[in-house]
Amino acid sequence: MSQITLNVNGAAQPLELEPDMPLLYALRNHLNLNGAKYGCGLGQCGSCTVIVDDRPVFACLTPCAGLEGKKIRTVESLGSAEKPGALQAAFIEKQAAQCGYCIAGMLMRAQALLERNRHPDEATIREHMAGNLCRCGTHLRIIEAIKQVAGDNGSLT
């Protein structure tokens, strides 16, 4: 075990962890941040996607070692049920979630894109989101929600 301090959603979180522990387990089991989901464990579905230093990463494959000093953001940083962020509100409006299992990862991947490119075209959105899968098949609604936020001039949060 090692003492590792993770910066999660703007707060320093000192944790006693095995350095090779996947970030997903630290978030869910030690910090009770359950938005990111365990899907495939292989980085193929994207339900565990979080943002590390402004880049979407698969938390199931990212070891905690080497994350000290990096900014980690989870879906919990985007808003709440009472006050959803712009992207969350668009997902709700477009009914982009069916079972909801993939949605946290979809939101985080989309958030990373919109922070880097405020007005991506549909082809860019599709390419960027290709790493995340929705088994329910709501991809078209997810793309519409992202396009809606990309077309707005307001804040992402």
Side-chain angles (χ1 to χ4, degrees):
M1 296 282 238
S2 298
Q3 179 76 24
I4 297 175
T5 300
L6 300 178
N7 179 341
V8 181
N9 299 332
Q13 302 286 348
L15 300 168
E16 192 74 24
L17 304 171
E18 293 295 333
D20 62 347
M21 175 183 285
L23 176 59
L24 179 64
Y25 299 148
L27 294 172
R28 293 181 61 80
N29 300 339
H30 295 272
L31 298 175
N32 295 314
L33 295 170
N34 295 314
K37 303 289 189 261
Y38 180 88
C40 66
L42 301 170
Q44 295 177 349
C45 73
S47 51
C48 66
T49 302
V50 297
I51 298 174
V52 175
D53 282 349
D54 303 320
R55 298 180 52 91
V57 301
F58 299 126
C60 72
L61 296 179
T62 304
C64 289
L67 291 177
E68 286 193 281
K70 298 185 183 292
K71 290 185 335 184
I72 301 163
R73 289 186 290 153
T74 68
V75 71
E76 289 87 354
S77 72
L78 298 185
S80 64
E82 298 78 29
K83 189 175 179 198
L87 199 51
Q88 291 169 312
F91 271 57
I92 293 166
E93 182 182 325
K94 297 294 183 182
Q95 298 181 0
Q98 189 162 338
C99 82
Y101 203 81
C102 70
I103 293 303
M106 292 283 191
L107 284 163
M108 295 312 288
R109 183 165 295 278
Q111 183 77 19
L113 170 64
L114 292 171
E115 288 174 1
R116 208 171 52 246
N117 178 354
R118 190 62 184 94
H119 301 289
D121 60 21
E122 185 171 331
T124 301
I125 293 169
R126 286 176 179 270
E127 180 180 338
H128 182 80
M129 297 302 292
N132 287 56
L133 302 176
C134 172
R135 302 220 186 277
C136 298
T138 65
H139 287 95
L140 295 177
R141 289 185 233 157
I142 290 167
I143 290 167
E144 287 303 313
I146 298 167
K147 283 172 41 180
Q148 176 178 309
V149 175
D152 289 346
N153 291 322
S155 171
L156 286 174
T157 55

